[in-house]
Amino acid sequence: MYTTLQLRWRRACTALVSCAFVVCASNDYTFAQQARQGMIEELQQRFGLQEPQVRGALGALLLYARERLPKPEFDEFAQAIPDAYHIIDQVKARGVVTRPLDDIGDYEASLASLGIAHPIAEQFAPAVIELLGAAGHDNERDILTRLLR
């Protein structure tokens, strides 16, 4: 049998471990969210682009991926990109992509309508791959790498 002091000690330890778990889980979520939200800002700074240009280039890349992946795999992939489905809708509405993107060259050419010249267009998808990996989205990084070969 436990004494009253042992029961109190046990409850206090359980509460402390529970709180520590919640704090750690919360911090992991916060860091992951910051990394995902930072992708757009990072791409803006890296390439000197405006937010609509980055969202357009991401949207075109998402459409490129969606045309090549089974729906469940694309849905998993899209979770790593902040506001992925909204960005896709914006790209369609703005006419950034007006036809199927048959290869990566078509993707890069579609960025011209956003004012993104070839040297930057060529570097954009590899930068997204790098940022996915840096944010801990290794599976999504590998999916996109495979699609760009």
Side-chain angles (χ1 to χ4, degrees), residues 29-42:
Y29 174 77
T30 302
F31 294 140
Q33 280 295 98
Q34 288 173 344
R36 284 180 22 178
Q37 294 300 331
M39 179 183 289
I40 291 173
E41 290 84 8
E42 172 64 28

Side-chain angles (χ1 to χ4, degrees), residues 2-122:
Y2 293 110
T3 66
T4 304
L5 183 58
Q6 288 173 322
L7 285 173
R8 285 183 183 162
W9 177 252
R10 198 175 176 127
R11 285 182 189 146
C13 287
T14 302
L16 184 60
V17 168
S18 296
C19 287
F21 176 76
V22 168
V23 168
C24 288
S26 173
N27 282 341
D28 286 346
Y29 174 77
T30 302
F31 294 140
Q33 280 295 98
Q34 288 173 344
R36 284 180 22 178
Q37 294 300 331
M39 179 183 289
I40 291 173
E41 290 84 8
E42 172 64 28
L43 291 166
Q44 282 180 258
Q45 290 175 1
R46 184 178 294 193
F47 297 115
L49 300 172
Q50 299 297 316
E51 184 176 347
Q53 291 175 302
V54 170
R55 287 180 164 276
L58 274 175
L61 187 59
L62 285 164
L63 283 171
Y64 179 80
R66 190 172 76 178
E67 290 175 1
R68 283 155 183 74
L69 294 172
K71 183 170 176 20
E73 191 175 9
F74 176 76
D75 290 341
E76 180 184 337
F77 171 76
Q79 289 177 6
I81 308 291
D83 300 322
Y85 291 100
H86 180 70
I87 291 171
I88 289 172
D89 291 340
Q90 287 178 332
V91 165
K92 288 179 179 179
R94 290 174 52 200
V96 173
V97 176
T98 57
R99 60 185 177 87
L101 302 172
D102 294 327
D103 56 37
I104 195 64
D106 286 348
Y107 160 72
E108 292 171 1
S110 73
L111 302 188
S113 68
L114 296 165
I116 299 175
H118 186 267
I120 292 175
E122 190 175 71

